[in-house]
Amino acid sequence: EVQVVESGGGLVQPGGSLRLSCTASGSTFSRHAMTWVRQAPGKGLEWVSSITGGGGSTEYAGSVKGRFTISRDNAKNMLYLHMSRLDPEDTAVYYCAHGISNYYRPFGYWGQGTQVTVDS
């Protein structure tokens, strides 16, 4: 059974930076694409970014491109999302989603989420 756990959320001022982490235990991690998805208060799920198993290919939503960077350390079964120039519109619960293959979709496992609040 794959277990996905996010961490690193918190309160940050507008313009600040934050790094989210996600660990996936019980996974053949390097064989699976990973994705960050977020849900803002009162809104639906929004895809943020995805990365292939080897880390060689990444994609970003237009709203975060140039500000967020997705990366992974397969030796540690870790996924990261480095967020910079944060805006109150980035306030959301951020979820890590584990793909069932090296394709970005569909997702097989989700974490419980980590709250990011951007506020002065």
Side-chain angles (χ1 to χ4, degrees):
E1 178 81 10
V2 174
Q3 291 190 321
V4 177
V5 179
E6 305 93 337
S7 61
L11 174 64
V12 61
Q13 292 187 339
S17 298
L18 202 62
R19 189 182 78 163
L20 304 183
S21 300
C22 167
T23 183
S25 59
S27 168
T28 50
F29 190 68
S30 64
R31 297 180 182 180
H32 298 269
M34 297 293 292
T35 294
W36 288 100
V37 177
R38 68 186 181 184
Q39 186 168 28
K43 297 186 178 180
L45 292 171
E46 177 190 15
W47 169 74
V48 174
S49 181
S50 296
I51 186 169
T52 52
S57 181
T58 59
E59 290 191 6
Y60 297 92
S63 58
V64 307
K65 198 168 188 177
R67 300 188 299 122
F68 290 11
T69 301
I70 191 170
S71 63
R72 64 193 296 160
D73 183 341
N74 287 342
K76 298 180 180 179
N77 278 29
M78 293 292 296
L79 176 73
Y80 304 102
L81 185 68
H82 186 266
M83 306 183 293
S84 62
R85 290 185 281 143
L86 282 162
D87 183 270
E89 292 291 311
D90 296 314
T91 294
V93 177
Y94 283 72
Y95 298 94
C96 173
H98 185 291
I100 66 169
S101 72
N102 200 31
Y103 292 102
Y104 294 151
R105 303 283 193 282
F107 309 136
Y109 304 93
W110 292 73
Q112 81 291 345
T114 187
Q115 175 72 47
V116 173
T117 302
V118 184
D119 195 343
S120 56

mmCIF file of all heavy atoms in Angstrom, residues 54-73:
data_model
loop_
_atom_site.group_PDB
_atom_site.id
_atom_site.type_symbol
_atom_site.label_atom_id
_atom_site.label_comp_id
_atom_site.label_asym_id
_atom_site.label_seq_id
_atom_site.Cartn_x
_atom_site.Cartn_y
_atom_site.Cartn_z
ATOM 1 N N GLY A 54 11.378 10.021 -13.850
ATOM 2 C CA GLY A 54 12.801 10.320 -13.836
ATOM 3 C C GLY A 54 13.122 11.775 -13.610
ATOM 4 O O GLY A 54 14.285 12.153 -13.464
ATOM 5 N N GLY A 55 12.079 12.592 -13.594
ATOM 6 C CA GLY A 55 12.278 14.020 -13.375
ATOM 7 C C GLY A 55 12.649 14.804 -14.610
ATOM 8 O O GLY A 55 12.878 16.009 -14.541
ATOM 9 N N GLY A 56 12.692 14.143 -15.754
ATOM 10 C CA GLY A 56 13.144 14.818 -16.953
ATOM 11 C C GLY A 56 12.122 15.705 -17.625
ATOM 12 O O GLY A 56 12.470 16.510 -18.495
ATOM 13 N N SER A 57 10.861 15.564 -17.252
ATOM 14 C CA SER A 57 9.807 16.364 -17.865
ATOM 15 C C SER A 57 8.895 16.918 -16.785
ATOM 16 O O SER A 57 8.496 16.202 -15.865
ATOM 17 C CB SER A 57 9.001 15.510 -18.838
ATOM 18 O OG SER A 57 8.002 16.268 -19.465
ATOM 19 N N THR A 58 8.590 18.197 -16.922
ATOM 20 C CA THR A 58 7.710 18.866 -15.962
ATOM 21 C C THR A 58 6.695 19.714 -16.710
ATOM 22 O O THR A 58 6.941 20.142 -17.842
ATOM 23 C CB THR A 58 8.496 19.763 -14.995
ATOM 24 O OG1 THR A 58 9.206 20.752 -15.754
ATOM 25 C CG2 THR A 58 9.493 18.958 -14.170
ATOM 26 N N GLU A 59 5.573 19.974 -16.043
ATOM 27 C CA GLU A 59 4.564 20.868 -16.595
ATOM 28 C C GLU A 59 3.982 21.704 -15.464
ATOM 29 O O GLU A 59 3.945 21.258 -14.312
ATOM 30 C CB GLU A 59 3.446 20.079 -17.284
ATOM 31 C CG GLU A 59 3.879 19.411 -18.577
ATOM 32 C CD GLU A 59 2.717 18.858 -19.373
ATOM 33 O OE1 GLU A 59 1.559 19.087 -18.985
ATOM 34 O OE2 GLU A 59 2.973 18.160 -20.386
ATOM 35 N N TYR A 60 3.539 22.906 -15.820
ATOM 36 C CA TYR A 60 3.005 23.833 -14.826
ATOM 37 C C TYR A 60 1.716 24.472 -15.326
ATOM 38 O O TYR A 60 1.573 24.755 -16.524
ATOM 39 C CB TYR A 60 4.011 24.947 -14.538
ATOM 40 C CG TYR A 60 5.304 24.462 -13.945
ATOM 41 C CD1 TYR A 60 6.389 24.137 -14.755
ATOM 42 C CD2 TYR A 60 5.442 24.315 -12.557
ATOM 43 C CE1 TYR A 60 7.577 23.679 -14.205
ATOM 44 C CE2 TYR A 60 6.629 23.868 -12.001
ATOM 45 C CZ TYR A 60 7.685 23.543 -12.832
ATOM 46 O OH TYR A 60 8.869 23.083 -12.287
ATOM 47 N N ALA A 61 0.821 24.744 -14.396
ATOM 48 C CA ALA A 61 -0.342 25.550 -14.708
ATOM 49 C C ALA A 61 0.124 26.968 -15.007
ATOM 50 O O ALA A 61 1.113 27.440 -14.444
ATOM 51 C CB ALA A 61 -1.312 25.541 -13.531
ATOM 52 N N GLY A 62 -0.620 27.634 -15.871
ATOM 53 C CA GLY A 62 -0.238 28.992 -16.226
ATOM 54 C C GLY A 62 -0.177 29.937 -15.044
ATOM 55 O O GLY A 62 0.628 30.871 -15.020
ATOM 56 N N SER A 63 -1.018 29.691 -14.043
ATOM 57 C CA SER A 63 -1.087 30.581 -12.880
ATOM 58 C C SER A 63 0.161 30.512 -12.000
ATOM 59 O O SER A 63 0.394 31.412 -11.185
ATOM 60 C CB SER A 63 -2.320 30.245 -12.046
ATOM 61 O OG SER A 63 -2.279 28.891 -11.630
ATOM 62 N N VAL A 64 0.968 29.450 -12.146
ATOM 63 C CA VAL A 64 2.141 29.303 -11.285
ATOM 64 C C VAL A 64 3.446 29.257 -12.072
ATOM 65 O O VAL A 64 4.534 29.299 -11.478
ATOM 66 C CB VAL A 64 2.037 28.033 -10.395
ATOM 67 C CG1 VAL A 64 0.728 28.024 -9.633
ATOM 68 C CG2 VAL A 64 2.217 26.767 -11.209
ATOM 69 N N LYS A 65 3.363 29.177 -13.388
ATOM 70 C CA LYS A 65 4.557 29.052 -14.213
ATOM 71 C C LYS A 65 5.491 30.239 -13.996
ATOM 72 O O LYS A 65 5.047 31.383 -13.995
ATOM 73 C CB LYS A 65 4.174 28.937 -15.682
ATOM 74 C CG LYS A 65 5.256 28.381 -16.570
ATOM 75 C CD LYS A 65 4.703 28.026 -17.937
ATOM 76 C CE LYS A 65 5.744 27.290 -18.765
ATOM 77 N NZ LYS A 65 5.204 26.878 -20.089
ATOM 78 N N GLY A 66 6.748 29.927 -13.783
ATOM 79 C CA GLY A 66 7.730 30.978 -13.523
ATOM 80 C C GLY A 66 7.870 31.327 -12.050
ATOM 81 O O GLY A 66 8.811 32.024 -11.663
ATOM 82 N N ARG A 67 6.950 30.858 -11.229
ATOM 83 C CA ARG A 67 7.018 31.121 -9.780
ATOM 84 C C ARG A 67 7.228 29.847 -8.974
ATOM 85 O O ARG A 67 7.865 29.882 -7.921
ATOM 86 C CB ARG A 67 5.728 31.797 -9.301
ATOM 87 C CG ARG A 67 5.429 33.119 -9.961
ATOM 88 C CD ARG A 67 4.244 33.817 -9.290
ATOM 89 N NE ARG A 67 3.017 33.014 -9.370
ATOM 90 C CZ ARG A 67 2.329 32.611 -8.301
ATOM 91 N NH1 ARG A 67 2.736 32.914 -7.086
ATOM 92 N NH2 ARG A 67 1.204 31.922 -8.457
ATOM 93 N N PHE A 68 6.681 28.739 -9.452
ATOM 94 C CA PHE A 68 6.784 27.460 -8.743
ATOM 95 C C PHE A 68 7.723 26.532 -9.504
ATOM 96 O O PHE A 68 7.775 26.561 -10.736
ATOM 97 C CB PHE A 68 5.421 26.777 -8.645
ATOM 98 C CG PHE A 68 4.428 27.444 -7.723
ATOM 99 C CD1 PHE A 68 4.642 28.708 -7.192
ATOM 100 C CD2 PHE A 68 3.257 26.790 -7.387
ATOM 101 C CE1 PHE A 68 3.725 29.311 -6.351
ATOM 102 C CE2 PHE A 68 2.320 27.368 -6.540
ATOM 103 C CZ PHE A 68 2.563 28.637 -6.027
ATOM 104 N N THR A 69 8.438 25.685 -8.754
ATOM 105 C CA THR A 69 9.317 24.689 -9.357
ATOM 106 C C THR A 69 9.066 23.341 -8.699
ATOM 107 O O THR A 69 9.167 23.219 -7.469
ATOM 108 C CB THR A 69 10.792 25.070 -9.182
ATOM 109 O OG1 THR A 69 11.034 26.345 -9.790
ATOM 110 C CG2 THR A 69 11.693 24.038 -9.851
ATOM 111 N N ILE A 70 8.752 22.347 -9.516
ATOM 112 C CA ILE A 70 8.561 20.989 -9.019
ATOM 113 C C ILE A 70 9.856 20.217 -9.205
ATOM 114 O O ILE A 70 10.563 20.386 -10.202
ATOM 115 C CB ILE A 70 7.385 20.295 -9.753
ATOM 116 C CG1 ILE A 70 7.006 18.987 -9.065
ATOM 117 C CG2 ILE A 70 7.689 20.090 -11.227
ATOM 118 C CD1 ILE A 70 5.705 18.376 -9.603
ATOM 119 N N SER A 71 10.176 19.388 -8.237
ATOM 120 C CA SER A 71 11.378 18.558 -8.344
ATOM 121 C C SER A 71 11.176 17.301 -7.512
ATOM 122 O O SER A 71 10.220 17.195 -6.746
ATOM 123 C CB SER A 71 12.623 19.325 -7.875
ATOM 124 O OG SER A 71 12.513 19.660 -6.500
ATOM 125 N N ARG A 72 12.084 16.366 -7.680
ATOM 126 C CA ARG A 72 11.980 15.113 -6.931
ATOM 127 C C ARG A 72 13.374 14.557 -6.658
ATOM 128 O O ARG A 72 14.317 14.803 -7.403
ATOM 129 C CB ARG A 72 11.127 14.099 -7.683
ATOM 130 C CG ARG A 72 11.669 13.653 -9.001
ATOM 131 C CD ARG A 72 10.606 12.905 -9.816
ATOM 132 N NE ARG A 72 10.204 11.653 -9.151
ATOM 133 C CZ ARG A 72 9.066 11.015 -9.410
ATOM 134 N NH1 ARG A 72 8.220 11.512 -10.310
ATOM 135 N NH2 ARG A 72 8.793 9.880 -8.779
ATOM 136 N N ASP A 73 13.459 13.783 -5.564
ATOM 137 C CA ASP A 73 14.686 13.071 -5.216
ATOM 138 C C ASP A 73 14.300 11.600 -5.107
ATOM 139 O O ASP A 73 13.755 11.168 -4.074
ATOM 140 C CB ASP A 73 15.252 13.599 -3.894
ATOM 141 C CG ASP A 73 16.568 12.946 -3.521
ATOM 142 O OD1 ASP A 73 16.894 11.860 -4.045
ATOM 143 O OD2 ASP A 73 17.271 13.524 -2.682
#
